[in-house]
Every structure is written in C-alpha cells, then in structure tokens.
Amino acid sequence: MLDTLITGARVIDGTGAPGRPCDVGILDDRIVHVGTSSNYEATVTVDAGGLLLTPGFIDPHSHTDWSVLGNPEAHSTIRQGVTTEVVGNCGVTYAPLHDADVHAAQSALASLGYTEQITWRSFGELLDTVHGGGTTQNLMWFVGHTALRTAAASRAAHDGVDRRAELIRLLEEALEAGAIGFSSGLEYGSGRFADTDELAELASVCGRRDGMYSSHIRNRDTGLAAAVDEFFDVVHRGGVRAQISHLNVRHGTGASEGAWHDAVQRVVTERERGCAVLADMTPYPDGIGMATGLLPPWLADRPSADIAELLRDSHIRRRVREDSDRYWRFIHRGQWDRVRLGVSATHPQWEGLSFPRIAELHGKDEWDCLFDILSAAGPDIGSVQLLGELFTEDHLAQAIGHDHFLLGVDAFSARCTGPLGARTRHPLFYYGHTHYLAHHVPAGTLKLEDAVHRMTGKVADHFGITGRGRITEGHYADLVLIDPDVLARTDTWSLPDGYADAARHVWVNGVPVVTDAVHTGRRPGQLLSRT
C-alpha cells in the first residue's frame, strides 16, 4: 500500500531526458515506484492527467537564510515548487556572531520578520534554531566569509585572540556543525578587504573536508578578468569544489567587449581540466544589492555606526559622490532611474520606490536621499538593500541558455503579509523560479527538459545533494505537479496579488506541503549536508 500514487502525469525526470507519461508512487519519504500502476493501491491517489510532474526545484543561490526565521513555511518559494535551497551565499550569514555584533543582526532580521531575541552565537546554534523549529523546504548551508571575518575581528578586539587563527577556528566549527563550505562577497562589507591569501587559506580548510567555495567575485565590470583569475586561484590553492555566483556583467558599467564571454569560457576550460566548477544566473534583469557596496574603501573600512555618523557630514558626502565609481557603477553615471529602495528599517514608506521618486518626495537629490537612509540606519547600515535594473534581456538569455549555468534566483523566500510582504515588492520574490518556465522556455532560451535539469538534477549533482533532483525509485519524494495551462497564463513580470499557483501540488520528503495550490502548513524539510 502506497501513501500517495500520482497517475497520468507527464514526467520530466530531472535528467534532461524527454518527458514521458507514467505514474509515480510515494511511500514514507521515498519514491518507490515509477512506471505503470495497475497493481498498486494507495491511501491517496492524485489524478495528474494533463499535468507535469518534476523533481522539486533546487535553488543553487538563495538568501532564504535571511528570512527563514520569519518565514519557516517558505511561502513564496515552496508554492513555486522549490523544495531545496542552497543558502548562506555572498558571504552574508547571521552566524557566527560575537556579542558586540548581535544588535545589528537583530535589527536586520527584525526587518525580515523575525522579532524574537537572538540567542545563538555559533553557526551550529543558528542551524539548531532554524531547523529546531522546522522548515517546509530542505536547506543546505554555506557559512558566510563576511560573518566569519566580523566575528573574528570582534573577538580579536574584545577578547584578545589572534584574528587569523580565530577565522580558521570559526570556519572549522561551522563545517563541523553542517556547513558545506564557505561563501564570499568581495564587492561589499568586510569581504572587500580580504586578500587572496586569506581566501585561499580558508579554502584549504574546506578542501581538506571535501568542501565547497562559492563566491560573489570581486568585480563584474572593468575588472572582471582579474576577479575570475582570483576566484580560480583560490579554488586551485584550496582544492575545493566551486560555484561562481551570478556570473554576469551589469549593463552600462564599463566591462570590455567580450569580457563576459572570456569569463564563461574560463569556466568551461577549467571544468574540462577537471575542476568541479559551475556558475549560476538569475531570471530577471533586476537584482538585489547591498547599499554599502557603493561606498569607497576609505569609508567602508570602518565600524558601521561610524560610517553612518560620518555620512551626516556634508564634506564626507561630497567625497563619496566623487568616489563612487564601483559596484553599481551606473549610479556614478547618474542613472538613478535604475535603482529602487529594497529594504530600509528606518524608511519603510520608501521601500519599492525609485530614487528619483524618493528625491521628489524628500525634496533632496538622490545622493542625499541615499545618505539620509544610510545615516539613519546607524549600526544597522549593512541591512539596507537596493533593487536595481542590472542586465539586458540579451545578456540574460545568453547566460540562461548556457549549459554551464545553473538556474537560481538570488533572492529570499517571502510572504505576502507582515514585514516581508512590505519589503518584497517585486515579482523576483514570488515568481523568480516560475519565470524560467513561464518566460524563458516559451521564448526559446532553453527547452523545458533542460530548464528542469538545471533546476534539479544538475544542481543536486554539483552540490552533492544525494538522493534528490531526479524522479527515480529510491530517491527522496521531493516532487512538484505543475499545471501547464496555469503556467502559460501566469504573468511573471507583474507583482502578484497572491502567490504563484502553477505548482498545484508539492511534496517534500513525501509530505504534501502544497495541495491544490494551498499551503498545508507542514514543515518536513531537512538540514542537508554533503555525503
């Protein structure tokens, strides 16, 4: 007797093979039958005639670790069929933490819906907090390099320990607790000030444990080639499996002609030589950015509260305006119409508005509006996020269509209500994964089976997520049943009134978490580690 029998679906199995009609049976947390079902009985039978059955989607580049404590049901992502998320990317995790840094983390998490007191300090304690309360989806974790650096620096300053030795100790502690490796964000935060030797030393710690290194590299415009060189230097010196995050170039920021193609060819060549590396891409022209990434090094390399206070000074503001040609370089060129305020705990009334509109409302120019937002944030300045129009459609299509790119979203799971609802006013959060299937597949960027493969099986293989990513007997029953008619009429360019609903049924570890496009409230997700 099966728990669930899904009959009559067209199965896209996650291998890239053409879809085929067959039935799928679930018992406990596993797929136990793929084929015809004439001899099977089940407690629940789902008639899936005319529907598509795929493995649960796996996001290779998620920031849901920022929102999971305020949204453990993963409303916006699970309703799209995302059953596993690889989190802790771009160097930013909320552990490890030193006592001196708890307030900033508390404020940042509160802006994302988590209002309880932070009780953890170590990375393992954070994992215990998240998974002890249950999650609807599975999570696989990196520990953030910026978090490691901040905690190590605070311990060095307050407790007198050696910063470099503490950095290594904290990484080893996180790996022991369940992190699959570490991620870096080298365009903002303290990650900007790490040298290549530091990164390589940490990568070596991961390499000895068959760990991974994921990097938001140092530059994706005029210095793209050097940033890619540094990435592979770290990868080879550390002997790690690797993921190069959102390998793209921002439109109109000075990247030389052919620089992106050269970078992609480097990934292809390194993989042909045996390096376990892939890249990932995002689905929309828009993306999330950290506002502090715009600040020059002479200002950014200070304590957060000091930066915020200095930005009240007109002389400092004038210097920043003149020395801002970095990160989102189009801002330096005056293209503020491409920028909206994403997250600001002190100015929630401006979230989602473009900076020209904010300037009109505030009676100041765009730079002064940004400075006012950052200075008001005080020690929480690192939590201010922007939304930017970053890429052209042609560039997106090139990356999404390339077989060395996994398909991620570079956002976090949201919900329509509460603080998260107020701070996620963009279809990226609610339709990001669906957009690949509803827009890029019909546009001819890639075939349906290829899209599913690079959202499931290929991700599982690269990250070492065993027993997931394919519809095959013996694998975990992470499954999504999609209505192609609903998918075809879904406008993924517009902010929805509710959640995506093309994924009519979703199972995680055999448990129904979405039934008839309604969340069941169950939390069967697991903490995943490399095996």
Side-chain angles (χ1 to χ4, degrees), residues 445-482:
T445 306
L446 70 174
K447 295 181 179 178
L448 174 63
E449 288 84 357
D450 184 32
V452 171
H453 175 50
R454 290 199 277 135
M455 296 170 75
T456 58
K458 193 162 187 170
V459 187
D461 290 346
H462 184 56
F463 284 90
I465 305 173
T466 57
R468 302 182 195 272
R470 289 179 173 79
I471 298 179
T472 188
E473 292 177 6
H475 271 46
Y476 290 95
D478 294 349
L479 297 166
V480 185
L481 196 57
I482 298 169

Side-chain angles (χ1 to χ4, degrees), residues 83-95:
T83 58
T84 298
E85 300 184 57
V86 180
V87 299
N89 288 288
C90 296
V92 184
T93 52
Y94 289 106

Side-chain angles (χ1 to χ4, degrees), residues 311-328:
L311 282 173
R312 298 179 185 276
D313 184 275
S314 60
H315 174 67
I316 295 295
R317 290 187 175 200
R318 185 166 57 253
R319 286 185 63 192
V320 173
R321 288 170 182 256
E322 295 168 352
D323 188 11
S324 62
D325 193 11
R326 62 182 49 77
Y327 194 39
W328 289 9

Side-chain angles (χ1 to χ4, degrees), residues 96 123-124 143 148 164-179 181-182 201-202 204-209:
F123 191 77
V143 62
L148 293 169
R164 198 79 165 212
E166 182 66 6
L167 194 59
I168 293 171
R169 187 192 72 79
L170 289 170
L171 174 58
E172 290 176 333
E173 183 179 75
L175 294 171
E176 190 66 30
F182 80 105
E201 186 175 19
L202 295 175
S204 295
V205 173
C206 288
R208 291 193 291 271
R209 295 172 176 257

Side-chain angles (χ1 to χ4, degrees), residues 64-66 68-69 85-88 93-97 114 118-135 137-144 170-181 525-530:
T64 284
D65 51 302
W66 300 352
V68 65
L69 287 165
E85 300 184 57
V86 180
V87 299
T93 52
Y94 289 106
L97 279 175
Y114 182 67
I118 287 179
T119 58
W120 66 84
R121 296 296 182 269
S122 72
F123 191 77
E125 289 169 342
L126 171 60
L127 296 187
D128 289 343
T129 301
V130 171
H131 292 278
T135 61
Q137 82 284 47
N138 306 305
L139 296 175
M140 177 175 263
W141 292 75
F142 286 105
V143 62
L170 289 170
L171 174 58
E172 290 176 333
E173 183 179 75
L175 294 171
E176 190 66 30
I180 62 166
Q526 297 180 5
L527 167 62
L528 304 183
S529 59
R530 285 183 55 80

